[in-house]
Amino acid sequence: MKKKKMMFSLRKAQLFIKVFFLVLLFNGFSLRAAVNTNGITNEKSSVTQQNRTVKGKVVDEKGNPLPGVTIIIVGSTKGVSTDLDGSYSIDVKSTDKLSFTFIGLESQTIEVGDKKAIDVVMREQSELLDEVQIVAFGKQKKESVIASIETVNAKDLRMPSSNLTTAFAGRIPGVISYQTTGEPGMDNAQFFVRGVTTFGYKSDPLILIDGFEASTTDLARIQPDDIESFSVLKDASATVLYGARGANGIIIVNTKSGQEGKVKIFSRIDMNIATPTKLLKLLDGVEYMNLYNQALVSRYDDQEHSADDIPTPPWYSEEKIRATERGDNPMIYPNINWYDMLFKRQTYNTKANVNLSGGSQMATFYVAAGFDQETGLLKVDNQDNLNNFNNNININRFHLRSNVVFKLGKTTELDTRIYGRFERYNGPYIDAGDIFKMVMDSNPVDFPAVWKPDTRNESTRWTLFGNADPMKVNPFAQMVRGYKERNENTITVQGTLRQDLGFILPNLKFEGKISASTWNSNTGSRSYTPSYYALEQYDPFVDEYTLYNLTPNNVPYLGDTEAARDGNTHFYFEGRLNWDQTWDKHSVSLMTVGI
């Protein structure tokens, strides 16, 4: 009996253990299933929270719908625009921010959060309406400007070029600009304000720098880093105060002034490579001769002839064409690419500017200094010692500017501006543009640029320039025949006295302006008349030739300096009275000017 009871108890224990593990196993499975189920449920819930659509409407202060408002999710490129009713719809997350922007209206940024609809009221940018606009004889708030005036950001005018007028094309609406030459020192762009407005194509607009009339060259040489504001007055209402002088538009440039505070220093150095915009592909000598002969045959075939007429023989013989093609003696069979011989493919220019500004309650100042160096594309042949001077274009230009404003009292201010430009030019005796035209008109196979001396001229001390006829042009001889030097200085002194006459009439102000500008130029040129030589005879068996002098009376030595001087001085006076008054939202301004 005892044995049976013990076996029964053991079976109970085993059954209890099995049931315990089964329950534990079942509970564990249920727990895992619950965890997995909860995970799936949470993931679906988060997706549902993140991806949702927000709708809304954008209107102005009067409740009118605004079409075309740009709505972008901050920190991404995803965005939409409002339709004609000002409505929009965009997919967002609860953590996103929406940016609403429209030209002339204040931008707004709104957090999405749990919002399902976001309606926005956009207001005008009051600071833009209060912004000062440069107008004729002064300044005016933008909200009251009704004339056609274009203001250009001075940063957009910064270019590697040392000529400011080359920056006008494509940057100023209503201004047509083009260049007729890229020769350094002669590369001022021609520009029209709203097209040609007068007969004879006298299209130059009136140019005012700091309120004083200036020339196109003064505008071209101004340093972009010195410009505070640049405006173009285009229509009649904008230029009416200048009368007939403003018929072709007006360009107004104001240079920088100092501000009260610590001294600020700014510097810039530009180094650039200048290359021709486009190069013409010239024929070599062999192609030139073949086409020339074909042209003679075509011209003969186009004319009426009798049976006795004999066709004109080829101008260039087959022997000459084949010898040129083989590259035989280049003195007898020349094949010259005049452009590659006279011009480089690129050149290097440098431009630098440094300025200081600052001031106190008594005076503010802006002082700047600049330097430009421009070089041309002409080659200088020092290897063969054909001349002992450099006739390539090389321009060194220095700029100095001092703008100082003195506060003489609570109601009196004196604005002084001094500018100086000092330029030294070195270049060929004949302008580079004329040399280029000679290159385009020259024959590549008529004669060599320079002959190697024959036995008769071994002791000749000057260059034997090639030619076939004294009436023809040797471009190389014309390029190296001399040089030109020029020193040019421009100094401008300006003063403006501003006086508040409030003790006579509230808001009455007086402004007196005076300026003196002087320009002078000293030019010195030296040149000689080249000696030209032509082929007298040639012995192909021994490959020897003799030359004869086409210009025996020429003296191939540099002559005396040809001096030329020029200059002018210009004075300007102006007086101005201004009065303005504001009542609530209305304002009245009156001005009278005496010149």
Side-chain angles (χ1 to χ4, degrees):
M1 289 296 292
K2 292 181 178 179
K3 190 174 182 180
K4 288 182 178 180
K5 288 181 179 180
M6 291 177 63
M7 292 179 62
F8 181 76
S9 300
L10 183 59
R11 288 177 180 174
K12 280 185 176 181
Q14 292 175 346
L15 180 61
F16 177 80
I17 292 172
K18 289 181 180 179
V19 172
F20 175 79
F21 278 106
L22 286 173
V23 172
L24 183 63
L25 180 63
F26 179 78
N27 289 336
F29 178 79
S30 300
L31 181 62
R32 287 194 301 270
V35 171
N36 291 338
T37 303
N38 291 336
I40 295 172
T41 303
N42 291 339
E43 185 177 352
K44 290 181 178 178
S45 177
S46 63
V47 171
T48 303
Q49 291 177 1
Q50 292 177 357
N51 295 333
R52 58 195 179 88
T53 301
V54 170
K55 299 180 179 180
K57 190 172 183 179
V58 182
V59 297
D60 60 14
E61 293 177 290
K62 297 180 180 179
N64 300 319
L66 290 174
V69 176
T70 302
I71 305 160
I72 297 178
I73 299 175
V74 177
S76 71
T77 58
K78 183 179 179 182
V80 296
S81 298
T82 57
D83 57 18
L84 294 176
D85 297 328
S87 302
Y88 72 94
S89 175
I90 186 171
D91 294 332
V92 296
K93 300 177 183 178
S94 59
T95 57
D96 286 339
K97 295 180 181 180
L98 295 180
S99 174
F100 297 79
T101 57
F102 192 78
I103 296 175
L105 302 179
E106 293 181 356
S107 300
Q108 297 187 35
T109 302
I110 301 176
E111 295 184 0
V112 174
D114 57 354
K115 302 181 184 72
K116 295 182 180 180
I118 300 177
D119 296 330
V120 178
V121 178
M122 302 193 74
R123 297 174 175 81
E124 292 182 347
Q125 288 181 304
S126 58
E127 64 272 14
L128 285 181
L129 298 178
D130 293 335
E131 186 177 334
V132 172
Q133 170 76 61
I134 302 297
V135 297
F137 287 104
K139 301 177 181 179
Q140 193 173 339
K141 287 185 177 181
K142 273 193 173 182
E143 64 177 352
S144 60
V145 174
I146 61 174
S148 179
I149 300 175
E150 188 67 35
T151 300
V152 182
N153 192 329
K155 294 181 180 179
D156 295 335
L157 299 175
R158 292 177 181 172
M159 293 184 64
S161 173
S162 62
N163 193 319
L164 182 67
T165 60
T166 60
F168 292 170
R171 287 176 170 81
I172 306 177
V175 175
I176 302 172
S177 174
Y178 64 93
Q179 281 182 276
T180 57
T181 176
E183 182 179 347
M186 303 179 65
D187 54 349
N188 288 354
Q190 304 294 320
F191 47 89
F192 307 97
V193 176
R194 284 197 167 182
V196 179
T197 55
T198 56
F199 293 106
Y201 289 85
K202 177 60 179 175
S203 57
D204 296 341
L206 176 64
I207 300 171
L208 300 174
I209 299 178
D210 290 329
F212 297 92
E213 187 171 349
S215 65
T216 303
T217 301
D218 293 331
L219 177 64
R221 302 307 173 198
I222 193 171
Q223 298 282 287
D225 291 318
D226 295 342
I227 297 176
E228 179 69 29
S229 63
F230 189 102
S231 299
V232 181
L233 282 60
K234 296 185 284 189
D235 66 354
S237 60
T239 63
V240 62
L241 292 178
Y242 291 94
R245 292 195 303 158
N248 295 314
I250 303 173
I251 293 178
I252 299 178
V253 181
N254 285 339
T255 58
K256 293 180 179 179
S257 298
Q259 302 293 331
E260 292 185 17
K262 296 181 179 179
V263 177
K264 297 180 181 179
I265 301 176
F266 175 84
S267 62
R268 176 191 299 274
I269 298 177
D270 292 334
M271 302 182 68
N272 60 83
I273 300 175
T275 60
T277 304
K278 184 178 180 181
L279 292 175
L280 299 177
K281 185 178 180 181
L282 303 178
L283 295 176
D284 67 1
V286 175
E287 293 176 305
Y288 177 86
M289 289 187 287
N290 285 326
L291 290 175
Y292 194 94
N293 287 342
Q294 291 178 19
L296 291 179
V297 173
S298 299
R299 180 177 297 178
Y300 179 83
D301 293 340
D302 290 340
Q303 298 174 354
E304 295 183 0
H305 304 282
S306 64
D308 298 332
D309 288 343
I310 300 176
T312 303
W315 185 267
Y316 296 103
S317 66
E318 190 68 20
E319 177 189 358
K320 180 176 177 61
I321 296 175
R322 295 293 168 248
T324 304
E325 187 175 16
R326 291 193 303 267
D328 292 351
N329 191 332
M331 296 290 103
I332 308 302
Y333 306 105
N335 187 0
I336 304 174
N337 185 325
W338 289 105
Y339 184 89
D340 285 345
M341 183 177 183
L342 272 63
F343 292 94
K344 299 183 292 185
R345 297 285 176 168
Q346 61 186 23
T347 187
Y348 304 92
N349 297 326
T350 304
K351 183 177 181 180
N353 179 275
V354 59
N355 58 70
L356 295 83
S357 63
S360 64
Q361 295 181 352
M362 300 298 296
T364 59
F365 66 89
Y366 175 86
V367 180
F371 170 74
D372 300 334
Q373 183 185 29
E374 292 185 274
T375 55
L377 295 172
L378 296 178
K379 289 183 178 179
V380 179
D381 192 346
N382 294 325
Q383 182 177 357
D384 296 330
N385 296 320
L386 298 181
N387 55 46
N388 58 358
F389 53 84
N390 184 347
N391 63 333
N392 186 28
I393 297 175
N394 184 26
I395 301 176
N396 293 311
R397 190 180 296 115
F398 295 89
H399 307 263
L400 296 175
R401 183 178 297 276
S402 173
N403 296 347
V404 182
V405 180
F406 299 95
K407 299 178 182 178
L408 304 180
K410 293 183 179 180
T411 61
T412 309
E413 181 180 274
L414 178 61
D415 187 342
T416 62
R417 297 176 184 256
I418 302 174
Y419 172 70
R421 183 176 70 249
F422 310 93
E423 178 178 310
R424 181 177 178 83
Y425 169 91
N426 183 89
Y429 182 76
I430 298 177
D431 291 340
D434 294 332
I435 295 175
F436 179 81
K437 294 177 182 178
M438 296 176 189
V439 167
M440 294 296 105
D441 294 338
S442 295
N443 188 320
V445 296
D446 259 8
F447 47 81
V450 176
W451 289 99
K452 291 183 179 180
D454 58 351
T455 55
R456 185 187 299 173
N457 292 283
E458 288 180 351
S459 59
T460 302
R461 294 183 296 173
W462 52 78
T463 304
L464 310 178
F465 291 105
N467 211 326
D469 187 327
M471 300 300 295
K472 291 189 176 182
V473 175
N474 182 330
F476 180 74
Q478 294 300 313
M479 185 187 76
V480 301
R481 63 174 297 187
Y483 65 92
K484 182 189 301 180
E485 292 181 337
R486 182 177 66 246
N487 290 314
E488 189 173 305
N489 303 321
T490 300
I491 298 176
T492 302
V493 180
Q494 303 170 347
T496 302
L497 179 65
R498 302 183 181 94
Q499 176 66 51
D500 190 336
L501 301 177
F503 58 89
I504 299 177
L505 180 67
N507 299 324
L508 180 63
K509 297 178 182 179
F510 169 78
E511 187 174 290
K513 305 171 75 72
I514 183 173
S515 76
S517 178
T518 179
W519 169 83
N520 64 80
S521 174
N522 297 314
T523 303
S525 304
R526 298 188 68 187
S527 65
Y528 64 90
T529 305
S531 290
Y532 295 111
Y533 289 77
L535 181 66
E536 183 175 359
Q537 60 181 5
Y538 172 64
D539 187 348
F541 297 102
V542 295
D543 196 23
E544 292 182 355
Y545 58 84
T546 56
L547 305 174
Y548 70 94
N549 193 344
L550 293 171
T551 53
N553 297 324
N554 289 351
V555 181
Y557 299 103
L558 281 174
D560 296 333
T561 301
E562 303 172 21
R565 295 182 179 181
D566 195 6
N568 59 60
T569 302
H570 179 73
F571 296 96
Y572 179 83
F573 304 92
E574 177 185 308
R576 186 189 311 172
L577 281 174
N578 291 277
W579 177 80
D580 61 84
Q581 186 66 45
T582 302
W583 299 275
D584 296 330
K585 296 182 179 180
H586 306 283
S587 61
V588 176
S589 298
L590 299 176
M591 178 178 61
T592 180
V593 180
I595 299 177

